[in-house]
Amino acid sequence: MKDGDEAAEHAARPKRADARRNQETLLDAAAAVFVESGVEAPVRDIAARAGVGTATIYRHFPTRADLIIGVYRHQVEACAEAGPALLASSPTPYAALARWIDLFVDFLVTKHGLAAVLQSDNAGFEALHAYFLDRLVPVCTRLLDAATASGEIRTTDLEAIAFMRGVGNLCIGAENDPRYDARRLVALLVAGLRRAG
């Protein structure tokens, strides 16, 4: 087998469960450090938080851009997976929607510095916005549809993308102003969907 074939086969193989867990731990640590110190935080701080050496981080993420993209995708996946889980475990679809929007707000507000980086010319960042929409809009749509079908929110022609954009706009600047509570304003928006009665 040629080296290129062997590398392709290795890349196609799914990661072992422990390798996946280790990478998730690393991504969670990087996300926490980014929240505290921004996306330019030293890699050694992320390594210390994850309990690994810096070489481990560079093995998984050769550049800072790779690490930022990895964190972003990891957080999008966590938010996407939370939607169905909340719908299955919450007392009502509206409660699931409200809780999911809280998680979405956390994601938006804690991107500390990520938005500016995502505006850069790095080709890897270009696909992230489409990925974000592809993963999260269907989840929000499902939650809105379930809450509408249950009669908990008004039947409206509100599309998930418009709702998510409204939530996103309420979150702008929240990470830089401790006097601004984006979560409180978003809660008012979500409460406004509720059917009177």
Side-chain angles (χ1 to χ4, degrees):
M1 182 180 287
K2 293 181 181 168
D3 288 343
D5 294 339
E6 195 173 306
E9 182 184 321
H10 179 71
R13 264 187 253 148
K15 289 186 178 183
R16 292 187 339 248
D18 60 332
R20 265 196 317 276
R21 275 193 305 276
N22 291 343
Q23 189 164 349
E24 287 173 8
T25 298
L26 196 156
L27 290 169
D28 288 338
V33 171
F34 288 171
V35 168
E36 294 166 5
S37 307
V39 295
E40 294 302 323
V43 171
R44 68 180 172 278
D45 293 355
I46 296 166
R49 176 76 60 102
V52 300
T54 56
T56 300
I57 293 178
Y58 287 120
R59 186 169 51 252
H60 291 287
F61 305 101
T63 68
R64 182 173 298 274
D66 293 329
L67 179 60
I68 292 167
I69 290 168
V71 168
Y72 186 89
R73 291 178 69 93
H74 178 62
Q75 291 180 321
V76 167
E77 281 306 308
C79 200
E81 290 169 7
L86 287 168
L87 205 49
S89 65
S90 297
T92 67
Y94 176 80
L97 173 66
R99 182 66 191 113
W100 187 80
I101 291 296
D102 280 347
L103 295 174
F104 183 60
V105 168
D106 288 344
F107 168 71
L108 295 175
V109 171
T110 60
K111 286 193 314 181
H112 196 68
L114 196 55
V117 174
L118 293 175
Q119 301 302 319
S120 78
D121 293 333
N122 185 305
F125 295 132
E126 292 174 12
L128 285 181
H129 186 66
Y131 175 75
F132 170 89
L133 294 177
D134 289 347
R135 292 295 289 136
L136 298 185
V137 171
V139 174
C140 188
T141 298
R142 183 173 171 200
L143 289 162
L144 285 168
D145 288 350
T148 300
S150 72
E152 294 177 276
I153 66 173
R154 288 178 247 169
T155 304
T156 67
D157 60 355
L158 177 64
E159 292 184 15
I161 186 71
F163 182 51
M164 291 170 67
R165 177 168 278 183
V167 170
N169 286 341
L170 289 173
C171 293
I172 293 172
E175 73 275 10
N176 298 321
D177 186 352
R179 298 167 300 164
Y180 179 59
D181 185 356
R183 187 185 295 274
R184 185 167 180 265
L185 287 179
V186 170
L188 290 171
L189 175 66
V190 174
L193 295 174
R194 195 135 201 200
R195 185 186 293 276

